[in-house]
Amino acid sequence: LIGNVMKVSRILAILSIFILTREVYSQPKYNFIVGLGYYNPKIETSNPIPDIGFLGKNLLLNWGARYEIYPNVRIGYTQSHSLHFGSIGNEKSNYLRNIAYRSISFETFYYIKEKMELNFTLAPMINKGSITITAKAPTDDWDSLLTSYGNSSVRLKTGSSMTKRWLGFSSHIGYRYYFSRLLSVEGKLGYYMSSYSEKNWKLEGEKVTGPPMKLGRLPVFQVNLVIGI
């Protein structure tokens, strides 16, 4: 009897270790991503646009989420933002340019070793560019009202944005290393392909010409922190 109990105990111990190991290294269904990227577009920055450096030209800020819909297949939504900001004009108005690369991704993945994953991603894109200028200026109506209450002049922020959307496509090959089921880091190398044209931006409902940018085919490298649940 004691011998049988010992055998059952061993079997239960082995099963427990197996289940816990599977839990630790099994693929999480939900993945939340935050990270950085690098690319090198050609963007016109002549006067009066603020000088552009690495942060405004080459750096991408990434975030997104993916969901495993089938073994070895994920779908997801991700955004990568290129931000350029500074002061513009004699009034030192605030200038902000944002290029948002927005994609719906289809990803397949394979384990090359335990904790090591190789993945391939294809993603159609609907991108958006925006340029916003805001300035502080007094307004006569507010001055009249505030003066009646015994206040002095107040400088209020005023501004407008011009925007444009265009289609694109991206493809990547990636490598992911799992520290645990909940935490991993991935690197991705691929391309952004865009149909951007400087024509037909919109400002207050009017069509205007926007900045000349060469975004047609751009190599992109990304490093992301991945949290799985």
Side-chain angles (χ1 to χ4, degrees):
L1 179 60
I2 294 175
N4 290 333
V5 172
M6 293 294 292
K7 288 180 180 179
V8 172
S9 297
R10 290 194 187 104
I11 292 172
L12 290 175
I14 293 172
L15 286 174
S16 298
I17 293 172
F18 176 76
I19 292 171
L20 289 174
T21 304
R22 293 279 295 181
E23 179 67 18
V24 170
Y25 298 114
S26 63
Q27 178 61 227
K29 289 287 187 181
Y30 295 92
N31 294 259
F32 298 95
I33 302 101
V34 61
L36 301 173
Y38 171 86
Y39 78 148
N40 190 27
K42 292 184 179 180
I43 301 175
E44 179 63 37
T45 57
S46 58
N47 188 61
I49 300 172
D51 292 337
I52 191 170
F54 173 81
L55 294 180
K57 181 181 180 182
N58 305 112
L59 185 68
L60 294 169
L61 305 178
N62 310 325
W63 65 266
R66 303 181 192 130
Y67 176 70
E68 184 181 332
I69 59 172
Y70 193 78
N72 300 102
V73 179
R74 303 187 190 104
I75 61 170
Y77 175 77
T78 58
Q79 292 194 16
S80 296
H81 292 261
S82 170
L83 301 173
H84 178 209
F85 50 86
S87 298
I88 187 172
N90 295 328
E91 300 296 327
K92 299 298 181 181
S93 300
N94 295 323
Y95 169 92
L96 172 62
R97 187 266 295 147
N98 181 18
I99 304 174
Y101 298 95
R102 307 179 296 184
S103 62
I104 299 174
S105 62
F106 300 87
E107 181 180 83
T108 58
F109 59 94
Y110 309 90
Y111 291 105
I112 52 179
K113 284 186 178 180
E114 188 177 56
K115 295 187 177 183
M116 298 181 186
E117 172 191 306
L118 190 66
N119 54 62
F120 304 88
T121 306
L122 297 175
M125 308 174 77
I126 303 177
N127 306 317
K128 180 181 179 181
S130 65
I131 296 175
T132 303
I133 295 178
T134 57
K136 287 187 175 181
T139 62
D140 294 337
D141 293 336
W142 271 110
D143 283 346
S144 298
L145 179 63
L146 293 172
T147 300
S148 68
Y149 299 149
N151 297 286
S152 58
S153 176
V154 174
R155 295 174 66 85
L156 303 176
K157 282 189 175 181
T158 61
S160 298
S161 296
M162 54 188 289
T163 61
K164 180 181 174 68
R165 291 176 175 83
W166 65 93
L167 299 178
F169 189 82
S170 70
S171 61
H172 291 86
I173 181 172
Y175 169 84
R176 184 187 293 189
Y177 180 83
Y178 288 86
F179 298 105
S180 70
R181 183 180 187 274
L182 299 180
L183 187 65
S184 58
V185 63
E186 70 176 10
K188 284 183 172 291
L189 181 64
Y191 282 91
Y192 284 167
M193 288 162 277
S194 297
S195 60
Y196 173 78
S197 168
E198 63 267 27
K199 297 179 180 179
N200 296 326
W201 282 67
K202 289 188 177 180
L203 174 62
E204 302 292 341
E206 299 291 333
K207 290 184 178 181
V208 296
T209 299
M213 301 185 291
K214 293 185 178 180
L215 308 176
R217 183 179 174 89
L218 297 171
V220 180
F221 175 69
Q222 299 179 350
V223 177
N224 299 315
L225 183 69
V226 185
I227 300 173
I229 59 174

